[in-house]
Amino acid sequence: MKILKPLISEFESLLENSNIHEAIDIKISSIEKFDYQINNLVKYQNHKDIEKILNGVEKLALDNQIIDSFEITEKNFFNFTINLNNVQDYLENFKENIKTEHSKKIIIDYGGPNIGKPLHVGHLRSLNIGRSLYHTNKLIGNSVTSDIHLGDWGMPVAQIIAYCEIQNIIINSITVDQLIDIYPKSSELYRSDKSFQILAKEINKNLNENENESIKKWKSIRNVSVSELKETLSILNHDFDLWLGESDVNNIIKPMIEKLTKEKKITLDDGALVSTQEKEPKILITKSDGSYLYLTTDLGTVLNRLENYEHDIVLYVVDNRQKFHFEQLFESIEYFDFPEKKYEHVGFGTVNDEKGNPFKTREGGVKQLIDLYKDTCAYLKNINKDLNEETIHELANTVLTYSDLLTNRKTDYKFNLNKFTNISGKTGIYVQYAQVRAKRLIEKSQDKDTNGELIITNEEERNLIVSLLNLEFYINQSTKFNEPHHLANYLYDISNLFNNFYQGENILSVENEEVKKSKLLITKYFLQNSNLVMSCLGINPVNKM
Ligand code: ARG
């Protein structure tokens, strides 16, 4: 954290003097009495210079302005509280303070819906996590590009086209509802009917060879599907920089395969192309009938991005179940000597229903995201009849986002509307309510000039301010591990501390003007901070509740 930087430097040079070269790591204290802890010294209990080091630390701690009180325990844990007299500047310039020193260029591949199918519950986490990583990285000054990476190519689309052909469905006037109906039927038929299989494969081949008629049909299907996707995504407050997909790399694949064959990186094996990397099982690059696999288009996509979008890192926000696919992809990228970038699979678990079963509709089908959104709106309307449409819309999105991000992405969770909308629980509604209260307080005070001086008068205020300072820490955690839950939990914590502070007294009737001004200032800092975290999570603050 920037505010503790001078302290860290002093600590580090002190250790340097005894030939210990390491980065000092400041953690949020697990002991109630203290704010932070430094554990670096624990492992040096038997160091020959330890007495000298501890004396140095003590002197440093006594002299350093930012430290209020401290202790060095028997095991050499260094615990301290922070002096809040000099933190106002830091709080005023929060947005600057959280900027990263080494800005990176990041591509985030998330969402990844397939055309012909509507968005469903299985897309929720990719969308939420991807959007959160997007906004958080942008906020700290990284340059970020989002790519929805549509599944808009290959066998599934060929099957839809084939189905339309045998059923005489006119493709250029096809509707979304028709597509939703056709998708499962065509893949079912593909499994059971040999002649249908032959037809679909033929169409798939035509598509890969850019044959005019097939491409025209594909375009109609893609257009209908994409405009539906855009509509739903905009209701759910999602937006993408790039609307690319598997189809965009079709022309890259052939030359890629030729080059890799020439370099002996891939070879024929029973008609299929496999990687020559020593691996068990062998990594399959194309099928024996020449058709492309998921891996083939993902390799093409890597090349396309290298060619056209400058970047240092690619994050793939995709279900845990695709872990193996991404392992194969990343290994192949390395083996094929593609230029070195950092690739990471940001995996996540499943959203289940209240009982822990796969989330289904009452009829047993997959639950569409738009229906989940509508259910949530209806639920909210029912518990609070006074809310206007706009607020309901934002709160529904808050519920669908916040509860999702609160869970560590690696674990599954149960979707429970009753629990997720509880105003006194750890919910999106709770955090919205806290910031609405803060906003209302500032409005009511009619105090346009919040430029007073910060005066801490009680424990609640102190706890709130210290925790506001910690935003930087949680942003670091979230971006370092690609885990938005650190920030989601943090938002609850500061909202809770704000409520404790707010409920303690009637702030507007505090008589001492300076103290009142300070309390409004604390409220302003909370509001600023809460709105920043919300923006990181992809949540829009509401104005009324
Ligand atoms: N369309 C894929 C699916 O439905 C997800 C795409 C994820 N991104 C990627 N580059 N593979 O499973």
Side-chain angles (χ1 to χ4, degrees):
M1 298 203 323
K2 289 215 177 64
I3 200 164
L4 299 173
K5 267 237 161 106
L7 174 68
I8 293 178
S9 309
E10 285 182 35
F11 232 99
E12 285 172 354
S13 20
L14 186 92
L15 292 184
E16 299 269 334
N17 289 341
S18 295
N19 250 324
I20 297 174
H21 310 284
E22 68 178 58
I24 293 292
D25 185 23
I26 297 196
K27 293 192 161 53
I28 295 196
S29 179
S30 48
I31 309 165
E32 204 179 316
K33 246 178 40 198
F34 292 103
D35 301 326
Y36 302 101
Q37 62 188 72
I38 294 178
N39 305 345
N40 290 62
L41 301 177
V42 176
K43 56 182 173 302
Y44 296 117
Q45 286 171 60
N46 297 321
H47 193 279
K48 65 175 177 35
D49 280 355
I50 190 65
E51 278 313 310
K52 186 178 130 199
I53 295 173
L54 292 180
N55 284 335
V57 167
E58 187 163 345
K59 176 158 189 330
L60 174 165
L62 287 168
D63 291 347
N64 195 303
Q65 296 289 317
I66 199 79
I67 292 184
D68 200 15
S69 63
F70 68 93
E71 70 169 16
I72 305 174
T73 70
E74 219 172 294
K75 294 208 156 69
N76 295 351
F77 285 101
F78 180 76
N79 300 317
F80 67 100
T81 56
I82 180 174
N83 181 339
L84 296 184
N85 288 339
N86 300 312
V87 299
Q88 195 168 350
D89 262 0
Y90 181 82
L91 288 166
E92 285 290 338
N93 298 307
F94 230 118
K95 273 198 151 160
E96 281 316 303
N97 291 324
I98 52 181
K99 291 270 183 282
T100 167
E101 281 163 25
H102 314 282
S103 172
K104 301 240 166 55
K105 296 192 177 66
I106 309 175
I107 294 178
I108 311 186
D109 176 321
Y110 71 96
N114 299 331
I115 64 167
K117 275 206 281 197
L119 286 170
H120 55 82
V121 173
H123 293 112
L124 184 66
R125 296 193 91 179
S126 176
L127 287 169
N128 280 330
I129 297 166
R131 178 177 57 190
S132 173
L133 297 179
Y134 181 87
H135 289 304
T136 313
N137 276 294
K138 255 203 166 157
L139 185 72
I140 63 171
N142 286 324
S143 102
V144 201
T145 307
S146 57
D147 179 7
I148 190 165
H149 196 75
L150 295 167
D152 62 352
W153 200 243
M155 231 8 165
V157 198
Q159 287 168 9
I160 296 176
I161 299 176
Y163 191 89
C164 293
E165 278 185 14
I166 61 165
Q167 296 283 337
N168 291 322
I169 298 168
I170 303 162
I171 292 188
N172 59 29
S173 59
I174 206 160
T175 65
V176 175
D177 290 336
Q178 272 176 300
L179 277 176
I180 295 176
D181 182 50
I182 292 169
Y183 198 105
K185 286 184 180 158
S186 67
S187 51
E188 173 57 41
L189 198 59
Y190 186 82
R191 275 192 292 273
S192 59
D193 184 327
K194 255 250 120 62
S195 64
F196 184 75
Q197 236 178 59
I198 294 169
L199 178 65
K201 279 185 181 166
E202 178 70 27
I203 292 170
N204 191 34
K205 195 160 159 259
N206 289 342
L207 281 172
N208 286 344
E209 285 164 4
N210 284 322
E211 185 265 330
N212 232 333
E213 270 312 298
S214 305
I215 292 288
K216 249 198 220 153
K217 290 176 182 163
W218 165 76
K219 270 198 180 137
S220 302
I221 293 172
R222 191 184 191 278
N223 284 345
V224 174
S225 208
V226 167
S227 48
E228 157 86 0
L229 281 171
K230 285 195 170 167
E231 207 181 306
T232 310
L233 285 169
S234 103
I235 294 174
L236 300 171
N237 295 344
H238 286 284
D239 195 7
F240 286 85
D241 298 320
L242 302 176
W243 282 78
L244 297 176
E246 298 180 346
S247 67
D248 290 284
V249 300
N250 186 41
N251 295 332
I252 295 174
I253 291 177
K254 224 171 165 183
M256 170 181 89
I257 287 176
E258 280 164 13
K259 183 160 181 284
L260 290 172
T261 311
K262 214 184 279 164
E263 293 168 350
K264 301 212 162 26
K265 295 281 185 190
I266 58 178
T267 186
L268 269 175
D269 183 0
D270 269 342
L273 283 170
V274 297
S275 168
T276 52
Q277 187 182 10
E278 296 281 340
K279 283 247 89 170
E280 207 41 65
K282 286 251 170 261
I283 299 179
L284 199 58
I285 305 295
T286 64
K287 283 207 235 174
S288 52
D289 60 9
S291 60
Y292 303 153
L293 292 153
Y294 187 35
L295 187 65
T296 333
T297 50
D298 258 335
L299 284 167
T301 303
V302 168
L303 291 182
N304 190 28
R305 287 174 180 157
L306 286 167
E307 179 83 8
N308 296 305
Y309 306 94
E310 211 188 305
H311 60 275
D312 311 301
I313 302 172
V314 185
L315 302 178
Y316 296 88
V317 187
V318 188
D319 196 315
N320 276 340
R321 284 172 284 201
Q322 295 193 17
K323 184 166 181 276
F324 184 61
H325 166 75
F326 286 103
E327 278 168 12
Q328 289 200 325
L329 176 64
F330 301 160
E331 275 178 13
S332 301
I333 290 170
E334 208 184 320
Y335 181 67
F336 296 160
D337 291 327
F338 289 176
E340 233 171 90
K341 303 284 171 194
K342 197 169 166 231
Y343 297 93
E344 198 173 329
H345 173 209
V346 180
F348 52 82
T350 320
V351 186
N352 292 317
D353 68 12
E354 280 174 42
K355 298 200 185 82
N357 299 320
F359 213 117
K360 293 264 157 70
T361 58
R362 229 169 282 159
E363 293 73 37
V366 273
K367 181 93 176 171
Q368 289 193 31
L369 263 192
I370 194 69
D371 292 332
L372 195 66
Y373 164 83
K374 286 180 185 158
D375 290 354
T376 311
C377 287
Y379 197 94
L380 288 167
K381 221 179 273 182
N382 199 28
I383 49 179
N384 189 340
K385 306 230 166 14
D386 298 331
L387 297 175
N388 64 28
E389 285 300 315
E390 177 57 24
T391 308
I392 297 258
H393 160 71
E394 290 302 352
L395 288 181
N397 276 328
T398 304
V399 168
L400 294 181
T401 304
Y402 187 75
S403 311
D404 189 54
L405 294 179
L406 203 52
T407 324
N408 181 324
R409 64 174 164 80
K410 289 172 188 142
T411 49
D412 301 346
Y413 76 87
K414 295 176 191 161
F415 189 88
N416 182 332
L417 256 186
N418 184 22
K419 188 172 150 202
F420 292 175
T421 52
N422 185 343
I423 191 151
S424 44
K426 197 168 181 176
T427 64
I429 302 297
Y430 181 86
V431 298
Q432 284 279 18
Y433 191 54
Q435 69 84 29
V436 167
R437 272 179 154 178
K439 219 179 295 191
R440 233 179 8 210
L441 178 61
I442 290 177
E443 273 163 21
K444 270 208 247 158
S445 77
Q446 293 185 331
D447 188 357
K448 296 283 166 289
D449 148 48
T450 33
N451 288 329
E453 201 184 322
L454 196 58
I455 313 163
I456 309 286
T457 62
N458 59 36
E459 207 46 26
E460 279 79 26
E461 292 178 353
R462 184 176 197 285
N463 292 342
L464 177 56
I465 290 292
V466 171
S467 107
L468 293 182
L469 292 173
N470 290 340
L471 172 61
E472 201 186 323
F473 178 82
Y474 291 102
I475 287 188
N476 282 344
Q477 295 274 314
S478 284
T479 49
K480 184 168 167 197
F481 302 111
N482 299 311
E483 292 175 345
H485 75 266
H486 301 286
L487 278 171
N489 281 287
Y490 173 68
L491 180 57
Y492 175 76
D493 290 343
I494 57 169
S495 304
N496 198 15
L497 291 170
F498 173 75
N499 280 339
N500 292 344
F501 153 79
Y502 176 93
Q503 280 156 355
E505 66 191 319
N506 184 348
I507 292 171
L508 293 181
S509 54
V510 168
E511 274 175 21
N512 182 324
E513 268 309 308
E514 280 181 1
V515 171
K516 182 163 136 191
K517 251 191 161 40
S518 165
K519 288 184 190 288
L520 288 169
L521 197 59
I522 296 175
T523 306
K524 182 186 99 173
Y525 292 148
F526 162 71
L527 189 61
Q528 236 175 46
N529 208 316
S530 161
N531 286 356
L532 271 183
V533 182
M534 283 194 179
S535 76
C536 288
L537 298 177
I539 292 173
N540 294 330
V542 298
N543 289 321
K544 265 207 294 232
M545 260 176 90

